[in-house]
Amino acid sequence: MDRPTQGRPPRSAVAYAQRMAEALRTETIGGVVVLVATAMALIWANSPWGPSYDALRNAVVGPMDLTLYQWSAEGLLAIFFFVAGIEVKEEFVHGELRTLKRAALPVLAAFAGMAVPALFYLAVSWGVPGAARGWAIPMATDIAFALAVLAVTASAMPAALRVFLLTLAVVDDLGAITVIALFYSEKVHVLPLLGSAALLAVYGFLQRRRFRNVAVYVALGLAAWSLMHESGVHATVAGVVCGLLTRTGGETDGSPSPAGRAAHFARPLSAGLAVPVFAFLAAGVRLDPASLGSVFTDRIALGVVVGLVAGKFAGVFGGAWLSVRLGFARISDDLRWRDLAAVSVLAGIGFTVSLLIGDRAYPGSDRVTTAVLTSSLIAAALASALLHVRVQARTRHDVP
């Protein structure tokens, strides 16, 4: 029987925590946790105790007078974007983005998958007062949800399909955070922004000098985040920049790289805490008949649905097809166009970043949140059906 040592948790508790962290590093578990958090928010918000959900979401806590929702959107999501930044850096150094030839297909598909949904949204909502503010809502793919659906419904598909989706998602997440910084930030205050940039430069310099004190990096990251918030630029930008600056090369003693160690620690925090808490505090909207009906009658909400469901497919698949036809890229020998068509529909799961941009464009708007949830559900259902058909075709050795 394990006995706790003075000042230490029981070994069984440590082992359980380690198993939980390992589970949260898988796409399937992370996606399920976010789905549960979303369902809990919807149930609570639509129950007789709905006002208490709103009170919790808008409660002001902490030293910076931020609400719990703001802490989740700017604070906790900085962890999510830190992990995304590391993933982008890994792709550039070791993965699909390492060479232009290998990167061309998912990168060009990602760029088209950002531009075309915005055009679909604007086409549907054109002429509605204030509609132009939401042009970027349907541009990003939710990494956790999309990879979770792929893992659950199509684990038998070639690994090249997952690599395509992962690269696509991290590129358009990087694009989305750039859009947030440029177009959805408040009035920019120069001095705090310069201070944040200076701290991030120190972070990058210490990485290059192979400095290994984790506490110093955490302090620099927190200080840079705080100054970024004070500058008026969305504070999650500090998270993604820290991820991009973290060194991916191994240590001279053979130990894992700083990026590998940081991702190993931060990914469970992102999947098990940051994204689920944000989803819980963002997704609690009223789902009465009037609210659901407005998704298909309100042109801003309808533009979000059309942008994510139809625009994402047209952009991702069209961008991939055109890049191959023009000779800029080539499709993997393991994949068929029907495989890419199915995963292009899956890219319409916007969720995390779409909710974040939606709140910046239309603060407190339930119609946009409902539209993002509805379109993500439609995209997930359609993609699951298409991927199931592709798996069945491959199982029969009939792969047209």
Side-chain angles (χ1 to χ4, degrees), residues 1-212:
M1 183 176 181
D2 291 338
R3 295 180 180 276
T5 306
Q6 184 70 30
R8 295 182 181 177
R11 282 178 293 176
S12 58
V14 173
Y16 178 75
Q18 290 173 338
R19 289 195 297 270
M20 285 291 295
E22 197 60 39
L24 288 168
R25 292 185 182 100
T26 65
E27 290 93 7
T28 306
I29 300 299
V32 169
V33 173
V34 175
L35 186 60
V36 170
T38 303
M40 289 174 60
L42 290 171
I43 292 170
W44 189 354
N46 289 276
S47 73
W49 302 278
S52 64
Y53 171 84
D54 293 331
L56 175 68
R57 185 182 189 275
N58 296 313
V60 176
V61 297
M64 301 171 73
D65 292 328
L66 299 177
T67 65
L68 282 176
Y69 170 75
Q70 289 172 320
W71 276 113
S72 72
E74 297 205 31
L76 290 179
L77 279 193
I79 302 173
F80 167 79
F81 281 110
F82 173 68
V83 174
I86 288 176
E87 289 175 339
V88 172
K89 180 75 172 286
E90 290 281 5
E91 290 294 330
F92 270 112
V93 178
H94 304 296
E96 287 296 301
L97 305 182
R98 185 172 71 255
T99 63
L100 183 60
K101 186 176 181 180
R102 296 180 65 185
L105 184 66
V107 170
L108 292 175
F111 285 139
M114 289 185 278
V116 175
L119 294 176
F120 273 51
Y121 168 85
L122 290 173
V124 172
S125 63
W126 189 261
V128 177
R133 294 201 306 272
W135 65 272
I137 295 172
M139 70 178 295
T141 297
D142 188 280
I143 297 175
F145 261 151
L147 289 176
V149 172
L150 184 66
V152 170
T153 61
S155 59
M157 294 293 283
L161 193 63
R162 181 189 180 279
V163 171
F164 174 85
L165 179 60
L166 176 62
T167 306
L168 170 85
V170 296
V171 170
D172 76 5
D173 266 1
L174 183 59
I177 196 65
T178 303
V179 165
I180 291 172
L182 294 177
F183 299 102
Y184 291 95
S185 292
E186 301 167 2
K187 181 180 178 181
V188 176
H189 303 285
V190 176
L191 287 180
L193 183 61
L194 291 176
S196 181
L199 291 174
L200 291 170
V202 172
Y203 182 103
F205 173 77
L206 293 178
Q207 283 288 325
R208 292 180 64 85
R209 299 292 295 178
R210 296 180 179 270
F211 184 74
R212 300 181 66 170

Side-chain angles (χ1 to χ4, degrees), residues 264-358:
H264 184 80
F265 176 77
R267 191 169 281 115
L269 288 177
S270 174
L273 176 67
V275 178
V277 170
F278 170 76
F280 177 76
L281 293 172
V285 294
R286 303 293 294 181
L287 295 180
D288 52 68
S291 299
L292 291 173
S294 69
V295 171
F296 302 101
T297 57
D298 182 282
R299 285 169 57 196
I300 289 177
L302 184 59
V304 171
V305 175
V306 172
L308 280 171
V309 177
K312 264 295 183 181
F313 168 76
V316 172
F317 186 75
W321 181 83
L322 193 60
S323 65
V324 172
R325 291 284 293 182
L326 294 177
F328 297 134
R330 69 178 185 86
I331 188 172
S332 169
D333 294 335
D334 294 333
L335 298 178
R336 301 293 183 268
W337 283 113
R338 294 184 184 183
D339 302 329
L340 288 185
V343 90
S344 297
V345 175
L346 188 59
I349 301 177
F351 203 74
T352 304
V353 180
S354 293
L355 290 175
L356 181 60
I357 296 176

